[in-house]
């Protein structure tokens, strides 16, 4: 009887150009592939991140309608406060999701985020007060934590020589959801108002049903058909499992060069699987005392902070600042009567900014991997420096 192939070995049989490191992570990244375990996980990773960001930013096209609704006692200042709380939510959850991913695996964490997010986005259609708006946007902000399982998932699936590209493409395509939300939800509101004759105060509420449903439609098949790691079940993982560390001998020369150890084409990995589901204790605060971690955190806060600010405010800026010449606004109400674009068109145009993630993040990952091959970690630092400098300029 022929030996039964492990999940990763079956993947190599399907894609013969794939070489595996000692943890059965793929050394090859191809966005047009869909087979198990690596490429299916990649597509679930970015798609789940994409719909999560769509749900997170679904409120943006509706905010001007909420602010101008005479039946709601919600002012422009209340809307600005809700923007702050929407970001606070994601800060807290991202700290928690690292240890949770290590304990339960990225797939389960991502599924939980999407299903919880769907519930809160559905609930958003019932907002009637400023307190309700702030509360629901805080909890919707938790969906923004989907970035952590997305990136952790790619680290479990792809070897060091290509994980930068995999992370960048998954993160970039996921971030597209922020721009897509402006176009998608803004377009639905416009369609309901202009083609279905739905009143403004009802149209924005109905529109929330669509991004919430997207979250469910991705979460369910991801939970059913996704793989946490190249070995399938999280309990069988080889990478990030200290109980398997003594099974591997590392090549010190490869480590010095910043390259991953690569196994031979025999793939003798089936004996490495573990049935022990317990996770060795790991400090949740490991790395907090490393100054390099904080440098990276500050850099990410700056660059992603700019993106969040523009995604959250550009639609309102275009709506309120692009006005008819000579038109005088009525300052006694929140209604903008002189806007050239209108709320819906402003949201759709603002969404184009987020669509740059289709290629922008991917280019960062590609350049980081290329420079890493030439100069090791110094190459990755150079790619980071060039990207931040370019953004600043």
């Amino acid at each position: 009887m022929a030996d039964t192939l492990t999940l990763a070995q079956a993947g190599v049989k399907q894609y013969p150009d794939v070489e595996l490191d000692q943890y059965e992570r793929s050394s090859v990244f191809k966005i047009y592939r869909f087979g198990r375990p690596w490429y299916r996980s990649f597509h679930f990773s970015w798609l789940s991140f994409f719909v999560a960001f769509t749900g997170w930013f679904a409120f943006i096209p509706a905010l001007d309608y909420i602010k101008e609704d005479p039946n709601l006692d919600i002012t422009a200042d209340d809307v600005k406060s809700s923007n702050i709380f929407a970001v606070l939510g994601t800060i807290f959850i991202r700290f928690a999701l690292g240890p949770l991913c290590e304990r339960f695996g990225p797939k389960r964490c991502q599924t939980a985020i999407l299903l919880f997010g769907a519930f809160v986005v559905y609930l958003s259609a019932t907002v009637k007060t400023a307190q309700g708006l702030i509360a629901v946007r805080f909890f919707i902000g938790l969906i923004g934590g989907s970035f952590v399982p997305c990136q952790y998932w790619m680290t479990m699936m792809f070897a060091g020589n290509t994980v930068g590209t995999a992370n960048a493409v998954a993160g970039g395509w996921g971030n597209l959801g922020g721009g897509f939300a402006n176009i998608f939800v803004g377009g639905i509101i416009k369609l309901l108002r202009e083609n279905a004759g739905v009143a403004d105060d009802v149209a924005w509420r109905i529109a929330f049903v669509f991004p919430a449903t997207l979250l469910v439609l991705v979460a369910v098949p991801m939970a059913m058909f996704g793989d946490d790691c190249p070995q399938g079940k999280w309990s069988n993982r080889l990478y990030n499992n200290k109980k398997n560390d003594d099974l591997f001998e590392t090549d010190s020369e490869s480590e010095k060069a910043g390259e991953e150890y690569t196994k031979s084409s025999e793939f003798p990995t089936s004996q490495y699987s573990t049935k022990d589901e317990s996770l060795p204790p790991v400090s949740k605060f490991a790395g907090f005392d490393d100054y390099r971690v904080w440098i990276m955190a500050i850099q990410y806060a700056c660059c992603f902070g700019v993106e969040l600010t523009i995604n959250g405010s550009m639609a309102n800026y275009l709506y309120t600042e692009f006005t008819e010449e000579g038109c005088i606004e009525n300052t006694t109400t929140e209604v903008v009567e002189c806007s050239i674009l209108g709320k819906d068109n402003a949201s759709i145009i603002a969404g184009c900014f987020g669509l740059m993630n289709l290629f922008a993040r991917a280019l960062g990952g590609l350049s980081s991997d290329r420079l890493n091959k030439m100069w090791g970690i110094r190459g990755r630092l150079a790619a980071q420096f060039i990207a931040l400098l370019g953004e600043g300029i």
Side-chain angles (χ1 to χ4, degrees):
M1 181 182 293
D3 292 338
T4 301
L5 293 177
T6 65
L7 182 60
Q9 290 172 9
V12 172
K13 189 173 182 181
Q14 182 179 3
Y15 302 114
D17 62 325
V18 171
E19 290 184 335
L20 306 181
D21 70 359
Q22 69 267 42
Y23 304 111
E24 297 189 326
R25 298 182 301 177
S26 172
S27 63
V28 177
F29 175 71
K30 304 288 185 182
I31 60 175
Y32 51 82
R33 292 177 175 176
F34 296 88
R36 297 177 68 185
W38 316 284
Y39 303 112
R40 181 185 294 184
S41 296
F42 161 70
H43 288 292
F44 272 133
S45 175
W46 77 260
L47 184 59
S48 60
F49 186 25
F50 175 87
V51 296
F53 260 51
T54 300
W56 188 15
F57 287 94
F59 248 110
I60 304 304
L63 289 176
D64 285 316
Y65 286 101
I66 294 172
K67 184 175 60 176
E68 295 183 2
D69 191 335
N71 299 317
L72 301 177
D73 187 19
I74 298 177
T75 66
D77 289 336
D78 294 328
V79 169
K80 291 176 183 178
S81 297
S82 75
N83 287 336
I84 295 173
F85 277 87
V87 176
L88 283 178
T90 196
I91 293 174
F92 292 127
I93 194 65
R94 289 191 182 198
F95 277 109
L97 277 169
L100 288 173
C101 282
E102 291 178 333
R103 179 67 182 88
F104 300 106
K107 184 183 73 172
R108 277 187 258 183
C109 291
Q110 194 77 312
T111 300
I113 291 172
L114 263 59
L115 292 178
F116 173 79
F119 170 75
V120 181
V121 175
Y122 278 127
L123 198 63
S124 301
T126 67
V127 167
K128 294 182 179 179
T129 65
Q131 293 81 2
L133 174 66
I134 290 172
V136 80
R137 292 205 69 195
F138 172 81
F139 287 108
I140 284 181
L142 301 182
I143 314 175
S146 59
F147 173 77
V148 177
C150 168
Q151 300 293 277
Y152 189 85
W153 209 345
M154 294 300 89
T155 303
M156 293 298 301
M157 287 292 179
F158 292 95
N161 67 311
T162 192
V163 70
T165 302
N167 272 330
V169 176
W173 286 8
N175 256 23
L176 279 172
F180 176 73
N182 277 290
I183 298 172
F184 180 56
V185 179
I188 290 173
I189 295 174
K190 183 176 182 179
L191 184 67
L192 291 171
R193 290 175 57 249
E194 297 182 0
N195 294 74
V198 179
D200 289 5
D201 60 334
V202 178
W204 68 264
R205 296 180 187 275
I206 296 175
F208 279 118
V209 173
F210 294 88
T213 303
L214 280 179
L215 288 163
V216 176
L217 291 176
V218 172
V220 173
M222 179 175 67
M224 294 175 62
F225 304 114
D227 297 307
D228 269 309
C229 57
Q231 295 74 40
K233 291 183 179 180
W234 183 243
S235 58
N236 293 331
R237 69 195 179 281
L238 299 182
Y239 183 68
N240 198 22
N241 190 343
K242 287 186 176 180
K243 295 201 172 186
N244 294 323
D245 284 352
D246 59 347
L247 298 174
F248 306 108
E249 294 182 2
T250 57
D251 185 337
S252 59
E253 294 303 317
S254 291
E255 286 183 347
K256 290 179 181 179
E259 300 175 45
E260 289 288 326
Y261 170 78
T262 303
K263 294 192 301 183
S264 69
S265 58
E266 296 300 320
F267 312 116
T269 57
S270 57
Q271 76 253 36
Y272 299 148
S273 297
T274 174
K275 295 182 179 180
D276 192 337
E277 297 187 14
S278 62
L279 184 71
V282 179
S283 171
K284 296 180 177 59
F285 302 100
F288 272 60
D289 58 348
D290 191 331
Y291 71 92
R292 289 163 294 194
V293 172
W294 288 102
I295 291 174
M296 293 298 293
I298 292 170
Q299 291 179 352
Y300 182 68
C302 292
C303 67
F304 188 53
V306 170
E307 182 178 357
L308 285 179
T309 301
I310 294 178
N311 274 337
S313 61
M314 181 178 284
N316 177 259
Y317 177 81
L318 295 175
Y319 172 57
T320 57
E321 296 299 323
F322 285 76
T323 57
E324 297 177 13
E325 187 175 354
C327 182
I328 300 176
E329 295 281 6
N330 181 359
T331 58
T332 62
T333 68
E334 297 282 0
V335 179
V336 179
E337 299 173 337
C338 301
S339 177
I340 296 174
L341 298 173
K343 304 181 190 71
D344 304 324
N345 290 330
S347 294
I348 293 171
I349 295 172
C352 295
F353 170 78
L355 296 183
M356 287 195 297
N357 281 296
L358 181 65
F359 61 87
R361 281 205 179 195
L363 288 177
L366 285 167
S367 61
S368 180
D369 280 345
R370 290 290 177 85
L371 293 179
N372 177 60
K373 288 180 180 179
M374 293 188 292
W375 302 323
I377 189 62
R378 292 187 179 276
R380 294 200 187 278
L381 293 174
Q384 176 82 346
F385 173 79
I386 294 170
L388 283 173
L389 181 63
E391 183 179 9
I393 293 175

